[in-house]
Amino acid sequence: MKKISIVLGLILLVAILANLHTIIASAKWYSFEHNKNVSTETKTITYRDILERLYQQRKVAAELEDTVVYSRIGDEVRKGADDASDYQILLAHNEQITSLKVKLPITTFTDGDKTIEFISGHGEVLEICEDGQWEDFNGSLQKLMKKAQ
């Protein structure tokens, strides 16, 4: 009976050690989900602005994904950049549209001395600057992107 307890204890210890990465990442993910602050910011963006912002966000995502503790949060940061890349694509493929006024969801998470802030979704296009004139936007971003291509 004593040998069975020792063997089961060792198997349990090996299982915990094998999944330590997942356990730690899940604990940090739980903290992230319960302590993140999501706000909405209205910004006027150009192609260069969104290109630089998404580049920096993907860089942060790569750094976070390479860590044990923040790997799941890094996935979320990358997903947010991928969602917001529609604006980059639109501005790159439509020469008449020079700027967009968008309402973006911004997520901020503070963990000790580390603060992570990123665009966390698609957002909403409010106005389009086309040929130097600002116009309200009430349509679909997907239709506008198809029109640009």
Side-chain angles (χ1 to χ4, degrees):
M1 190 66 158
K2 194 174 184 181
K3 288 182 182 181
I4 293 174
S5 296
I6 291 172
V7 170
L8 287 176
L10 287 174
I11 290 172
L12 183 62
L13 180 62
V14 168
I16 290 171
L17 290 176
N19 293 305
L20 192 59
H21 176 272
T22 305
I23 293 167
I24 292 171
S26 295
K28 190 53 71 177
W29 178 255
Y30 179 82
S31 175
F32 170 75
E33 282 297 316
H34 288 84
N35 296 311
K36 68 182 178 182
N37 179 24
V38 181
S39 61
T40 306
E41 293 182 15
T42 301
K43 296 190 176 281
T44 301
I45 56 171
T46 63
Y47 173 73
R48 191 169 302 283
D49 295 335
I50 197 69
L51 180 70
E52 179 64 26
R53 176 97 185 229
L54 294 178
Y55 171 77
Q56 293 298 327
Q57 186 164 326
R58 286 188 174 104
K59 191 171 154 183
V60 168
E63 291 170 3
L64 293 173
E65 289 168 338
D66 287 342
T67 66
V68 172
V69 176
Y70 296 101
S71 61
R72 289 186 67 187
I73 297 170
D75 293 341
E76 189 73 12
V77 173
R78 182 169 308 282
K79 181 181 173 291
D82 291 345
D83 288 347
S85 67
D86 288 347
Y87 304 126
Q88 177 185 350
I89 294 166
L90 174 64
L91 289 166
H93 292 290
N94 193 327
E95 294 175 8
Q96 289 84 18
I97 299 175
T98 56
S99 301
L100 299 171
K101 186 177 284 186
V102 294
K103 191 184 289 188
L104 294 171
I106 306 293
T107 298
T108 306
F109 173 66
T110 303
D111 182 42
D113 62 342
K114 184 181 203 78
T115 300
I116 303 167
E117 181 178 287
F118 61 97
I119 299 171
S120 54
H122 287 287
E124 175 186 0
V125 178
L126 303 173
E127 295 180 44
I128 295 176
C129 184
E130 192 168 3
D131 296 325
Q133 299 292 320
W134 283 99
E135 298 175 14
D136 288 340
F137 181 71
N138 297 325
S140 164
L141 184 62
Q142 299 305 324
K143 287 181 184 177
L144 191 59
M145 288 177 64
K146 285 181 183 177
K147 182 180 165 185
Q149 294 174 348

